[in-house]
Structure formats: C-alpha cells, structure tokens
Amino acid sequence: MEAALYLHVPFCRRKCPYCDFYSVTEPPDEEIYLEALFTEARLWREHLPEDPVFVTFYAGGGTPSLLSPDFYGRLLEGLGRIFKLRPEELTLEANPEGLTLERLSAYRRVGFNRLSLGLQSLLEKGLKALGRAHTVEEGLRSVETARAAGFENLSLDFIFGWPGQGLKDLEEELAAVSRLSPEHLSYYELTPEEGTPLYQALRGGSLRLPGEDLLVEMHRLIHERLEAAGFRHYEISNYARPGRECRHNLFYWRARPYLGLGPAGASFLGRRRFRNPENLREYLKALKGGRLPALLEETLSPEAAFREAVFLHLRLSEGVRREEFRRRFGRDPFRVFSREIQELKRAGLIEVGEEGFRLTFRGRLLANQVQLKFL
Ligand code: SF4
C-alpha cells in the first residue's frame, strides 16, 4: 500500500493576522522535537494495520524552514529506519526570509527535491495588507536562490482577495508570476477564519474585503492568465505544468492514505481518521508518557468513504471517473447520484461525459455547496 507522510512543523517567527494554522512563536527546540517525532513514528509503526510504503514526504506548517537542514537530515534517516520510506517527492514549505544559498543547498542535499515558497503577494501593499514579514525583493530573491541551490521543482503560494486589492494589482502580479516560471502555483482566496485578527478587523469594520463580483473576476483572471501561461488548473486552488502536480496533496484529494506526524497532524488510514492535538505541550507530554497523541476522530462506513471520495475528487479537474470508482468501491457514482448529477448539470455547475463528471468554472466558484450534495 502506498501512502503519503506529512510532518507538521508547529513553529513560526510571528503569527500572520489571517492565519489559523496551528503554530507557536517560541523558538523550536530541535532535539526535543526530533526525539518526540521518532517516538511517535515508532508508536505508529506498532499500531499500523499494514506496512505502507511512503512515497511522498511533505514538511508543512507553521514554518518548516525555521528548522535546520541537519534536523531534516537526521529525521529522514531515522524515519527511514522505522518506516518503509521511499519518497520520490520531498517537499519543504519555506518562507522567503532568511533563505540563504547555503541553507537552501543544504536542504537540497538532505533530500528535499521540491520547495514550496510562501510568497503570498508580489506587491508591497499586498504583503502589508496580509501582515507578512518579508518584502517583495526578498520574495523574488528567494526564487532565484532556490534555483541556484538546484531546486528544479518549485511551487509558489499566493493569496488573493486581500483588503484593497484591485483587478489591476492582480494583473500586474500574474504577469510577474509568469516571468518567475515556477513548476507549480497555489492561488488561495483570502478567507477570514474566526478568531484571527483579520476576522476581528473585518467585523469591526476597519477593513473590507473585495466584493463578490470582483472576487469572481479575480478567479477568472487567475484561471485565464495561468492557463494561457501553460499551467493546468488541476485543483480548485492549484495550477501545475504538466506532470508537476503535487503528488503529496493528490493523496488527500484522491482520498488515499496518509499519516501526519507532529501536533495538529491529521491521518487517514483504512477509513479511519485521526488527529493529533493542536497543542505542542500536550503532544510532547503524551509521547513522553509513551502514548500516541493521535485521537480517533471517526471511522467511515464503506458508504461514507465512497461519498467522501466523490466529494474530494470534485476538487480535481479530473473529477469523478466512473471506472475508477467502480473498481475502488464497487459502486457506480452515476447510479448512486443520478438525481444530483442531473440537477447540477442543469444548473451549469458540473459537466458530464461518458467517463465521469467534474465541476465547471462556475461550479468551482461554488464548490463547497456543490460538494455537499454528495455527502
Ligand atoms: S501564514 Fe505561515 S508563517 Fe504566517 S503564521 Fe501562518 S503558518 Fe506561520
């Protein structure tokens, strides 16, 4: 069985006002974290019903580039002794600040072959609106340095729909993005998450997001410009050059097994969903006591697993393919969802062929509502 291995790095230098990912701002103690991860991996190894072969490794966060190359070198070596770790794709998420050629070359040497850079905007006013710590110049330099360090598979992360952003700003940014020529791009619409400073500022009226119509125009512009520049819009928020789709994230979207280490790490194994506490202290305490910190969130019935797989596949441009679902689940999605498919097709939200169905451009804009029809 092939699976994906995720590591959550719960450290950030400071919190960005829009972010609700779990992280703490205290400096990381690499030794303690490394030991905890080894204990967690060994405990998982005892509990796993099968012995999966991990074909991807993804260090996400938080800010994984706060941890040293040496930390990852030792981690990968140690995990390789515990698991069947044969990753073909190893991704490191990184923030532009502090990325020297020496550091990036060292990440490359310990095995990372894919770098995901959190640029978020190529305009100073965008970075300011998002409360990011780096400048445009640092962002551009990090791309150059990553190339010089030998990263041939580069993903750039952007956020659109920030307060004050206009269509012209986005056009300017997209032209600059094309010139950077990455292999992969993520373009996320800014979503105010409850409890974040951004959410409070919006509620208090001191900030305003672009209106609905403008956001639709932005979605369209991103889609058109990036497709014209040779990227395939393969997932709602993700674009890739052919063959450069993120293999790791495809495990999530195709409802394939994955194991998540570290606080807030999520796992999906044999229809069971687990989650680690979003609390570094609790996580470390459990492991010190020899306990796996993961809590079982739910066990999906075969029916629920089938529905969830349809729900997730709809995020992808490949959509829901009849034969694949028949083979995997022994059920034909066209039969199970004949009424929903007809309704959504009439509403112009999905397109239907002989082989399967998928979201239209309009359907992508309303993806959350469309997906829910299948759960
Ligand atoms: S956006 Fe990234 S860098 Fe900012 S707080 Fe969240 S995880 Fe940390």
Side-chain angles (χ1 to χ4, degrees), residues 213-331:
D213 291 352
L214 180 52
L215 282 172
V216 170
E217 284 308 305
M218 287 180 171
H219 275 279
R220 194 179 301 282
L221 190 67
I222 295 167
H223 172 82
E224 284 173 5
R225 292 290 158 90
L226 293 182
E227 289 247 331
F231 294 95
R232 210 166 65 86
H233 192 173
Y234 76 103
E235 193 270 345
I236 290 176
S237 307
N238 287 279
Y239 295 79
R241 303 243 181 244
R244 298 299 197 143
E245 297 81 9
C246 178
R247 268 195 79 181
H248 182 86
N249 287 343
L250 282 171
F251 272 83
Y252 304 147
W253 300 319
R254 288 181 176 150
R256 296 290 182 184
Y258 54 87
L259 178 65
L261 303 178
S267 305
F268 182 60
L269 301 155
R271 287 198 271 115
R272 289 189 301 165
R273 211 195 308 282
F274 300 87
R275 186 172 285 278
N276 281 347
E278 293 201 352
N279 184 317
L280 181 60
R281 272 176 230 297
E282 238 180 79
Y283 167 85
L284 294 174
K285 197 171 150 204
L287 290 165
K288 218 169 166 199
R291 271 185 302 112
L292 206 50
L295 292 177
L296 177 63
E297 279 193 324
E298 67 175 324
T299 303
L300 300 178
S301 65
E303 170 71 16
F306 165 74
R307 286 175 177 266
E308 185 170 282
V310 172
F311 172 96
L312 289 168
H313 274 75
L314 275 172
R315 296 192 63 88
L316 294 167
S317 63
E318 69 192 30
V320 178
R321 287 179 299 193
R322 181 181 226 159
E323 257 329 293
E324 189 192 323
F325 273 74
R326 271 196 193 143
R327 231 181 308 119
R328 236 180 112 182
F329 299 95
R331 309 191 65 189

Side-chain angles (χ1 to χ4, degrees), residues 11-23 61-63 93 95 97 120 132 159:
F11 307 105
C12 286
R13 222 164 246 144
R14 54 195 271 262
K15 287 300 284 183
C16 303
Y18 58 87
C19 176
D20 78 334
F21 291 129
Y22 175 67
S23 64
T63 310
E93 279 184 1
N95 281 350
E97 54 270 26
Q120 315 312 355
R132 297 290 300 193
I159 294 175

